[in-house]
Amino acid sequence: MPQQNLQITAVAPDPALLDLPWDVPLAEWPEDVLAALPQGISRHVVRFVNHGGRVIAIKEIGETVAYREYELLRQLHRIEVPSVVPVGVITGRRAPDGERLEAVLITEHLQFSLPYRALFSQDLRPDTATRLIDALAVLLVRLHLVGFYWGDVSLSNTLFRRDAETFAAYLVDAETGDMHRTLTRGQRSYDVDLARTNIIGELMDLTAGELLDEDVDEVAIGDALVERYQELWAALTVSEAFDSGDRWRVAARIDRLNDLGFDVGELEITTDIDGTKVRIQPKVVDAGHHSRRLLRLTGLDVQENQARRMLNDLDSYRAATDRQNDQEQIVAHAWVRQVFRPTIDAVPRELRRKLEPAQLFHEILDHRWFISQQAQRDIPLPEAAESYVENVLRHRPDEDAVLGLPPGEEAELEAEVEA
């Protein structure tokens, strides 16, 4: 057997990686090494592996491309763009007969995420495709804002996680990507046009496999991605002019961007020579306005729409406890101790792995509203949590392996349980 001459490139190399069967082609790795997780479509062989208490994704790929993608993912991770976290690159692999084997790129598996095909293999709402497209449009805008040209935008190259009643999209394949100082209109347009073409094809494939509702218009959904992208890009980048007396519109523009989930770190404000017109344009726009605010107040690191929902509940708690004049951070920590943590702790430990804590809290709030409507009275949160666990959560699959029903469908499930 030829001697292996493995080379591991990683920020923090893990010697335990050497224990994996690198002398075997990835497609032939034994079942006892692999983690049973759903996989998306890939032009390369990809396997999930249980390793050191976590799951890693391993992709066989050419050496040059592996190093390039590893560096691109590191850049995206550093600037906090939603993408998989790179672990390292391994080269120098050889089979027992001496044949050279391809290099591998290793990334961390994104917990509680799924490829789009796994989502459509279940009974999800008919508008699931639209919600995925919305998430992908937001991701594409975020990538373009930082100067990243994707080059192969598709549902297949994206992973999705729940974010309250919507989804959050993560880039999982940067093989064709490239980082620039800024993108030209042509580069952005090509990315968007390619996304539209790929998505229409992927949705048609789902229709052919009877995984998509027959009433879904695949072309209309592809067109919707373009419209959503253009609307969001304009809101974040287009210059706005108004009379100098309407200075309130500066604050209104910032509030509008905050509502979209973006912070404005810098504005460019210019006036005409005679001072009659004012023009403003965002210069630095950072995504994650609500999640950053919640993290600052409570230390909870969650998705953007989850954070928005939790901040709304925090505001309700502040009003209900008559603490509007107290410091916001003090009230927020009280809310975590008295509302958020007790609600999550009310879920049996063996059921907590079904959903992320923030998503659990969001769905319990939804469930509370639903059963309060049924009972025609305000249901206390502890009672709602108990009802949710017994009537909804126990019947859901573990979401770190497969996503279950969205919050909007829990009423149907409850009706079946009660029957």
Side-chain angles (χ1 to χ4, degrees):
M1 176 177 176
Q3 183 176 358
Q4 294 281 342
N5 184 27
L6 295 179
Q7 297 176 342
I8 302 177
T9 300
V11 175
D14 182 359
L17 285 172
L18 297 173
D19 297 333
L20 294 174
W22 299 116
D23 60 335
V24 178
L26 199 54
E28 300 173 14
W29 277 26
E31 292 292 330
D32 60 347
V33 175
L34 304 180
L37 289 173
Q39 290 186 211
I41 297 174
S42 174
R43 63 175 67 89
H44 304 286
V45 178
V46 179
R47 293 292 183 266
F48 295 112
V49 174
N50 288 306
H51 178 73
R54 62 176 176 171
V55 177
I56 55 176
I58 303 175
K59 177 170 69 173
E60 252 177 2
I61 193 170
E63 181 175 332
T64 301
V65 179
Y67 281 121
R68 185 173 180 279
E69 185 170 2
Y70 172 69
E71 289 301 328
L72 282 172
L73 288 173
R74 286 187 64 195
Q75 289 182 58
L76 292 175
H77 182 60
R78 280 197 298 268
I79 58 179
E80 299 181 339
V81 172
S83 55
V84 292
V85 178
V87 173
V89 173
I90 293 184
T91 60
R93 301 171 61 212
R94 286 185 179 273
D97 62 2
E99 179 187 358
R100 290 180 178 273
L101 301 178
E102 280 198 309
V104 297
L105 171 68
I106 306 173
T107 58
E108 291 184 11
H109 171 63
L110 184 63
Q111 200 174 19
F112 295 99
S113 69
L114 277 181
Y116 79 103
R117 278 185 163 270
L119 283 168
F120 284 103
S121 68
Q122 307 158 64
D123 291 329
L124 293 177
R125 287 198 305 223
D127 69 343
T128 296
T130 302
R131 291 186 290 147
L132 294 182
I133 293 308
D134 282 344
L136 185 54
V138 173
L139 174 61
L140 191 53
V141 166
R142 292 186 64 176
L143 289 167
H144 287 176
L145 284 172
V146 299
F148 184 82
Y149 169 75
W150 199 338
D152 192 15
V153 189
S154 67
L155 294 172
S156 299
N157 290 336
T158 313
L159 287 174
F160 296 91
R161 297 173 74 179
R162 284 202 191 284
D163 184 8
E165 72 281 358
T166 65
F167 288 102
Y170 287 73
L171 179 145
V172 70
D173 192 330
E175 182 181 334
T176 57
D178 201 7
M179 188 68 79
H180 300 267
R181 193 174 189 84
T182 58
L183 295 184
T184 66
R185 181 190 294 269
Q187 287 171 318
R188 291 193 301 105
S189 295
Y190 183 84
D191 249 2
V192 174
D193 289 343
L194 184 60
R196 176 185 177 276
T197 301
N198 285 342
I199 286 165
I200 292 173
E202 288 167 324
L203 294 179
M204 286 181 172
D205 187 42
L206 290 175
T207 301
E210 299 183 350
L211 294 176
L212 196 62
D213 192 288
E214 60 183 11
D215 295 330
V216 170
D217 186 336
E218 300 92 346
V219 175
I221 291 176
D223 291 340
L225 171 79
V226 179
E227 294 172 8
R228 172 67 169 147
Y229 172 90
Q230 291 174 342
E231 290 171 1
L232 189 55
W233 183 264
L236 296 172
T237 63
V238 168
S239 177
E240 180 180 5
F242 50 87
D243 292 336
S244 59
D246 294 335
R247 295 180 183 177
W248 59 270
R249 292 179 61 176
V250 177
R253 178 72 182 273
I254 294 174
D255 288 342
R256 189 160 69 249
L257 294 173
N258 290 165
D259 288 341
L260 290 171
F262 290 82
D263 274 328
V264 181
E266 181 183 342
L267 280 176
E268 182 181 81
I269 303 178
T270 57
T271 62
D272 288 347
I273 295 176
D274 58 4
T276 60
K277 287 285 185 181
V278 177
R279 183 177 299 273
I280 63 170
Q281 182 171 8
K283 299 295 289 183
V284 179
V285 180
D286 297 318
H289 170 74
H290 298 95
S291 58
R292 272 197 297 273
R293 181 182 169 217
L294 185 72
L295 181 63
R296 186 184 74 251
L297 290 174
T298 67
L300 298 172
D301 189 5
V302 306
Q303 302 281 359
E304 180 66 11
N305 288 308
Q306 292 168 346
R308 189 196 306 262
R309 183 67 181 277
M310 293 165 75
L311 287 167
N312 287 340
D313 193 70
L314 170 58
D315 289 339
S316 298
Y317 168 83
R318 192 174 191 177
T321 56
D322 194 24
R323 302 186 64 176
Q324 290 93 332
N325 295 325
D326 291 354
Q327 289 186 16
E328 189 177 35
Q329 195 160 13
I330 293 175
V331 178
H333 282 286
W335 173 83
V336 171
R337 292 194 310 271
Q338 299 174 19
V339 179
F340 179 75
R341 290 300 179 195
T343 302
I344 300 303
D345 290 344
V347 178
R349 186 176 297 275
E350 69 274 11
L351 298 180
R352 290 180 202 167
R353 69 190 298 268
K354 288 177 176 282
L355 293 168
E356 292 178 291
Q359 187 67 24
L360 273 175
F361 187 76
H362 164 76
E363 296 200 11
I364 290 171
L365 291 180
D366 266 4
H367 183 76
R368 181 189 186 189
W369 178 88
F370 174 77
I371 61 177
S372 294
Q373 289 288 103
Q374 282 192 327
Q376 292 297 297
R377 67 180 178 89
D378 186 44
I379 302 295
L381 193 55
E383 182 180 339
E386 181 180 355
S387 172
Y388 172 79
V389 167
E390 294 303 320
N391 295 323
V392 180
L393 188 61
R394 288 192 184 277
H395 308 278
R396 296 184 63 156
D398 292 350
E399 191 139 308
D400 58 0
V402 62
L403 290 174
L405 295 170
E409 289 187 20
E410 67 179 19
E412 297 176 16
L413 181 56
E414 290 161 14
E416 295 174 6
V417 172
E418 292 171 358

